[in-house]
Amino acid sequence: MTKATIEEKQYLVRFKADKESHLKIINQSICLEHCPDKPCTYFCPGEVYKFEGDRIQVGYEGCHECGSCRIGCPHNNIEWKYPKGGHGVIFQLA
């Protein structure tokens, strides 16, 4: 029996997304002007943050609620709240 890869395990994660995001970029200009490496685009395991054009796009629907964005942003520029009750990530164990 082989061990599942992280990608295979992440495929088991399901989400019940709210209509309203629980994640917010506080100031887009900080991302554009003061954050050349854009670490949010690579430390998030759910790949929620994407740099497109001159903005960070937030695909909150795939958030794993791990909280890495709360501590990983070097400028404290991401507001993270728990999703409203009944919404968010649904873990399934294999």
Side-chain angles (χ1 to χ4, degrees):
M1 188 161 124
T2 62
K3 282 190 169 188
T5 65
I6 189 71
E7 289 81 11
E8 292 168 331
K9 289 179 181 180
Q10 285 183 332
Y11 181 74
L12 297 173
V13 176
R14 298 290 178 248
F15 307 92
K16 183 177 178 190
D18 193 2
K19 293 177 185 164
E20 200 173 297
S21 178
H22 64 285
L23 304 171
K24 178 183 171 187
I25 301 294
I26 298 167
N27 185 340
Q28 284 281 349
S29 65
I30 289 175
C31 300
L32 184 61
E33 299 166 11
H34 302 289
C35 194
D37 296 333
K38 316 281 186 279
C40 62
T41 61
Y42 57 83
F43 64 60
C44 174
E47 299 179 352
V48 167
Y49 301 94
K50 303 274 186 223
F51 189 70
E52 295 177 358
D54 61 349
R55 298 182 61 83
I56 295 287
Q57 301 296 326
V58 182
Y60 71 94
E61 300 90 343
C63 176
H64 291 198
E65 298 174 34
C66 67
S68 63
C69 58
R70 289 188 286 188
I71 59 173
C73 178
H75 301 284
N76 237 3
N77 196 32
I78 299 173
E79 181 181 308
W80 189 99
K81 299 182 286 187
Y82 283 104
K84 285 191 245 175
H87 294 91
V89 68
I90 303 165
F91 292 104
Q92 182 177 5
L93 302 175

